[in-house]
Amino acid sequence: MAVDELQAIIQRCQILEEADFKGEDFNLFQVAGQKCLEDGHAAQLLEVIQNEKNKVIIKNMGWNLISPLVRCIFMYKQEDDKREQCLRILDQLAQLCNPKELFLGLLEQIEQTSGEQVCQTVMLLLQPLQTVLLKLQNKKAYSVGLSLAVIMNQLTPLPVPYTKQQIQEDKLGLCQCCNAVVDFAKPFVNEVVKNMEKSSEYNDMELKEELVKFCMKSLQYPLLTAQLEQLEGIEEHPFRHFATEIIDILWNIGELIPLVFVHHKSKSPEWEDQEFADIERKNSAESLACLSYLIFAQHLGVECFPVVFSPSYLLLCNMTHIKVLLKRTEESVLSKGLDLFESCLLRMEDNSLLHHYLEFRDFINIPQDLVKIMTLCPMEHMGKKSLNILQLFIDKFDTEGKYTLLRCLLKTSNHAGVEGYIIKNIKDQIHLALTKEYDNIWFTGYHLISLLDLVLSLPEGAETDLLQNSDRIMASLNLLRYIVIKDCESDNQTGVWTILGKIEQNFLKPLRVGLNMSKAHYEAEIKNKKENRKEAHSSNTVCSVTVSGEKMPAMTTGMQLQVLHSALFTFDLIESVLARVEELIEVKTKAVMDENS
């Protein structure tokens, strides 16, 4: 019945001129063709399409069959003959239909798909879409750009496989689809390359710019959040392959080096709405950051670069990208920022980075970003890696650079643990200054005295929360103990003996008073808790504790006592080091006085 209806419409249209086709003819052809497909008569429909006499009809009306054809292809199983016939119909339509009409029909079908069928639909229609685009004469660059944009917009909502198992399963087909899209773009890349080879003054920039847009979009999705490390058991990592292909496209069309070293070279659209402009700028920055990560951390396409750039220049170029990546909170993106930073630093020798680089804002801001990751990131391995990279960064600077950076971090970190770590670094630098033969003006004398004013101080004098600041206080005391032992008053290389009175007044005495107050307070609390426990029916009485405005999990009296005893132990530890420092100062001062008398 459906085949008969189709034949009747075909016979009526065969006697008409192309210009005489009416809207009714198009509708009848679409309905009859759809019925043929749904009733399983794909073979008969294929015969009609292949008939030379129907060439004009198919040219004008064939594109209407795309939607029902795609539905039927997905309905049949892979090995079904009818599915194969439907695929041949799709191939014939790509060859015979009006390119402009079929182009719009194919894009519409891709736009209408969603969910699990997105990748399947895109991969199914890429070949006919490529065939049609190669036939287009007018607005070819625009059509290629539109096709790539529509495809990428459909893929973007899909989750990017991250674990080894997810990549191997490729449940939605994203890995396979991304690489298929690159193959789809290759003829247009080749066209640009050929035109560039013909003329050194290649002026038709439209197609080239559309390809750059596609690469930039691909760098942001899926590559920015993709797992790109080599994975054992996966011979060819799909996303690494995709990344390599994207870099190859940029290299072939002459845009790789300009994008890496001349930021935002590609034209960005002029948006009247500032919000859209900000989104475009953010997306572009993330794409460029991902590109740098691929080249300098994963070493993809690095062979394209001339070996003329100094490690410090590469670090300078990448600091903008590192900052962009470290601002994100997802592990997949944050780890790329850390890897890129580490890779740039490992290229450099220790003490080779000049202090002048700290005049660039990012060289001060990024260490502060590392501190935030160390102190706020819930992923412990990220915090540890940030700490290692911060140390690596410190090590690369010359002496003045180390001094400036450590001083800045001590002022801005606002975290006792980090401050303690910075003070330990200062102690290490003082040790080098005292043991090396050459003069070190930054960690001795006047400059060191200025730094010690920051180190040997209590934020709120005797009222300082010693428990919260214990890491910093212990590091400060250890530094002072080291100086008192190593630097004789007669040499006074550090200048500590000159400002000893100030240190005692601003640090040691307030610390002693604070310790006495804190110990007395905690001992009274322990006594109080013990008395309350005797009065209570059970030692497992539960109460709530509030710290910094946040309610902590309920604690039994026994647990509270354990916490209080732990605090007392910390105070005893601080007091023992403080007593040792005071003893050393007294011994050395007395020795000098005895010599002078």
Side-chain angles (χ1 to χ4, degrees), residues 529 533 539-542 555-562:
K529 294 290 177 193
R533 186 162 66 171
S539 62
N540 290 325
T541 306
V542 175
M555 297 172 67
T556 64
T557 305
M559 291 164 68
Q560 292 175 62
L561 282 168
Q562 196 174 353

Side-chain angles (χ1 to χ4, degrees), residues 90-256:
L90 183 60
D91 182 57
Q92 286 295 304
L93 293 178
Q95 302 297 333
L96 299 172
C97 288
N98 180 309
K100 184 181 176 183
E101 300 293 345
L102 186 58
F103 167 69
L104 295 173
L106 290 167
L107 277 195
E108 184 181 2
Q109 189 60 37
I110 291 172
E111 278 188 306
Q112 287 175 353
T113 190
S114 61
E116 293 185 5
Q117 283 201 326
V118 169
C119 290
Q120 294 177 50
T121 304
V122 169
M123 285 190 285
L124 175 67
L125 300 181
L126 279 177
Q127 188 57 57
L129 185 59
Q130 186 188 72
T131 302
V132 170
L133 286 168
L134 290 170
K135 288 182 179 181
L136 287 177
Q137 299 301 320
N138 298 326
K139 293 191 175 179
K140 186 175 187 177
Y142 169 79
S143 301
V144 170
L146 182 61
S147 301
L148 290 167
V150 167
I151 290 167
M152 294 307 292
N153 285 342
Q154 286 297 92
L155 295 179
T156 300
L158 301 179
V160 179
Y162 190 72
T163 66
K164 179 182 175 181
Q165 185 180 349
Q166 288 171 346
I167 292 169
Q168 286 176 321
E169 287 177 358
D170 194 19
K171 196 173 179 182
L172 298 178
L174 182 65
C175 300
Q176 190 181 351
C177 188
C178 285
N179 286 296
V181 175
V182 168
D183 291 336
F184 164 81
K186 280 180 180 177
F188 310 109
V189 175
N190 293 336
E191 187 176 324
V192 171
V193 172
K194 282 178 185 175
N195 288 330
M196 289 168 65
E197 287 171 353
K198 285 179 187 174
S199 170
S200 57
E201 296 179 6
Y202 174 56
N203 294 319
D204 185 13
M205 299 296 290
E206 288 185 18
L207 184 54
K208 188 177 183 180
E209 285 177 4
E210 295 297 344
L211 291 169
V212 170
K213 285 180 193 174
F214 162 65
C215 290
M216 293 289 277
K217 178 66 178 175
S218 299
L219 288 164
Q220 195 196 22
Y221 176 92
L223 293 176
L224 184 65
T225 55
Q227 160 66 269
L228 292 164
E229 300 287 345
Q230 288 282 14
L231 296 173
E232 190 178 339
I234 299 181
E235 191 173 334
E236 186 170 50
H237 191 313
F239 286 127
R240 282 184 72 86
H241 181 263
F242 180 61
T244 303
E245 294 282 6
I246 293 297
I247 289 173
D248 284 347
I249 290 174
L250 290 171
W251 173 255
N252 289 331
I253 63 176
E255 291 293 318
L256 184 60

